Structures are given as C-alpha cells and as structure tokens.
Amino acid sequence: MRANYDAQKNSHLKELQALGPLEILRADLDEEGSFDDAVAGCDYAFLVAAPVNLASENPERDQIEPSVRGTLNVMRSCARAGTVRRVVLTSAASSVCRRPLEGEGHVLDEESWSDLGWVTAEKHPTWGYVVSKVLSEKEALRFAEEHGMSLVIACPVLTVGASPVPEVCASVAASLSMLSGDEAALGMLKGIEKTFGGVPVVDLDDLCRAEVFLAETEAASGRYICSSFTTTIVEIARFLGDKYPQYSVNTGHESSGGELLEKPRVKLSSAKLVKEGFEFRYKTLEEVYQDAIEYGKALGILPY
C-alpha cells in the first residue's frame, strides 16, 4: 500500500480480506528498504505499481528517475529477504513497440524494444513514460542477473475489464469512451491506435491470471507480452454500435479523413506466453466488454 494512505481510497483492499488471509502494509516506492517487511518470508513478489506523471514538464525528474528508483528499491528488498523465488514485474507494451515502423503487417515479440533515441527525439507527450518502462525493465534485468534472482516481466497492452478498485483508471475510461461520450478518453484511445499501430487488448482477469501463471511456471523467464487480440477503433465502434444501440455510438469514425485504421498495421504477439501453456479466456470484443459495461455502470461512467 502506498505511504500516503487514504482509508476510503483503499477500502477495496480491506474488502479483499474476506477472501482469505491478507496483511496490508504501508510502503513507498521512493524509500529504500520500505518494502523489506512486505516481502519478508514471501515466495513471490508482484511489482504492479509505478509512478505515472504524464503531465510533468520534467519527465526525467518526475517520471523516469522515480520509476527506475522504485523498481530497484523493491528488487533490493526481495534480494535482502532471501526467500523470494521469483519477482514478477508489471511493465507495459510501450516498452516494446514505440519505434518507427513503416507500412503494414508488422508482428512484434519480446525481442523488440522501443527505440529510446527515436522516442526522446520525437517528444510525444508520453515519451517519459515510455523511457521509464524501458529503463525500469533493463535495470531490473541487470539487477536480477547480478544477484542470481529469477525475474519475469509482463508487458500488458490496453487493459479492459472489471476490478475491485472503485476509481476510474485511464484504460477503463478509454475503453468505454465511445459509450460515455468522454472526448478526452477517446483521444487517449486514438493516441493508443496511432502509436501502437492498432488497439491491442487484454482483459484484466487474463492479465492477473497470466502474472500468477508466470510466477508459478518454473521455465518462465524474461519478458512476456500480454495481449489477447488486436483491433481498431473503427472495429470497436461498429461492435459497440450494434451491441449497445441505446448509447448511440458514432460508427462513422472511418470517415474521419483517414485518421483511423481499418485494420491493425502492427500486432503484438503473445506467442511466447501461449507456448508456455497459458490460455486467454477473453478473446473477442464481446467477451471483453461484457464485464466492462457493468463495471462502467458501477463506476458511474455509463448512465445505464
């Protein structure tokens, strides 16, 4: 739990205690040794938190350095614990695909890294986030190798689906933007398609299952892209318009001056994860959106 504890904001963690033994501790990614108590005696450590500061005027100070520092602080705590059999680091597909790719038909796997020289020169609004993910991964891999630690890295794409968190996160708002009418969130979805060459999707349930799977699968190592399928805004709009006519979805996005894609030009492959034996449960837009719609209603994003 974050150091700036807010009882109401973190009430869902207390509710999870009903499912079984759960100890909640306070910690701070920016504080050396802060996670020592949290990982003491643990078999597995899942690092799912990271600083996100997309609006900063100084991404190096406010995004990149805190991300790398926080990742290494947790890794050091795991090394000191002496019991952690494996660390599972949650990164992002932004560390894989932000590179110049002309034309269509590109398939990227875990051997691909975002081109930091190109990213920093391009100065896209999220460039600091991309750099932070690449450097955090590489520093974690270096630390794990130097200390003989087992590390796997999950690189999820746009994550959709219900969660216990009673707050609206960016990915949920983006995925429901064509139903909610949230233009800012739709802008984020358009940004994803433009920079990723498509809209790669994974359901939150599949992502969580994948991380547990990677922790427990002895042969697992290195990076794993976690993407169930790749679609486009045009395809999502058509699906939502047909499935949920009460929301009057704008299905005319394809006429917006060629701004959007009719089909993905880049796909992120999860073949490595599937080859290990993992199976995605949510493989279509209908399966992904079924729970997401109800979650959006519960959050107040959707009116009905």
Side-chain angles (χ1 to χ4, degrees), residues 77-116:
S77 290
C78 291
R80 282 192 290 267
T83 61
V84 178
R85 294 159 56 187
R86 175 166 291 166
V87 177
V88 180
L89 170 62
T90 306
S91 182
S94 294
S95 71
V96 174
C97 61
R98 295 296 299 276
R99 48 191 288 191
L101 294 169
E102 300 297 332
E104 301 179 354
H106 302 281
V107 178
L108 302 181
D109 60 17
E110 291 79 6
E111 295 300 314
S112 173
W113 289 91
S114 291
D115 184 337
L116 296 193

Side-chain angles (χ1 to χ4, degrees), residues 54-185:
L54 302 181
S56 171
E57 295 182 1
N58 189 338
E60 185 74 34
R61 180 195 64 202
D62 300 329
Q63 174 71 62
I64 300 170
E65 292 177 1
S67 294
V68 175
R69 185 165 58 245
T71 298
L72 290 177
N73 281 343
V74 175
M75 295 290 290
R76 292 189 189 101
S77 290
C78 291
R80 282 192 290 267
T83 61
V84 178
R85 294 159 56 187
R86 175 166 291 166
V87 177
V88 180
L89 170 62
T90 306
S91 182
S94 294
S95 71
V96 174
C97 61
R98 295 296 299 276
R99 48 191 288 191
L101 294 169
E102 300 297 332
E104 301 179 354
H106 302 281
V107 178
L108 302 181
D109 60 17
E110 291 79 6
E111 295 300 314
S112 173
W113 289 91
S114 291
D115 184 337
L116 296 193
W118 180 75
V119 168
T120 53
E122 186 190 40
K123 284 292 190 297
H124 185 274
T126 61
W127 74 270
Y129 178 81
V130 177
V131 174
S132 74
K133 292 303 178 185
V134 171
L135 295 185
S136 292
E137 283 190 42
K138 291 192 173 184
E139 282 299 294
L141 288 166
R142 177 193 60 78
F143 185 93
E145 183 176 4
E146 289 180 357
H147 292 80
M149 298 172 63
S150 177
L151 170 70
V152 293
I153 300 172
C155 297
V157 293
L158 177 68
T159 305
V160 181
S163 92
V165 180
E167 291 186 342
V168 181
C169 68
S171 62
V172 172
S175 66
L176 296 176
S177 60
M178 281 183 274
L179 300 175
S180 68
D182 185 336
E183 289 297 326

Side-chain angles (χ1 to χ4, degrees), residues 27-42:
D28 188 338
L29 282 170
D30 216 34
E31 183 182 328
E32 173 70 28
S34 182
F35 287 84
D36 286 0
D37 290 342
V39 300
C42 291

Side-chain angles (χ1 to χ4, degrees), residues 29 44 78 84 127 168 176 210 227 230 256 265 272 274 296 302:
L29 282 170
Y44 305 109
C78 291
V84 178
W127 74 270
V168 181
L176 296 176
S227 175
T230 302
S256 56
R265 49 182 293 271
K272 181 183 177 184
V274 172
L302 303 179

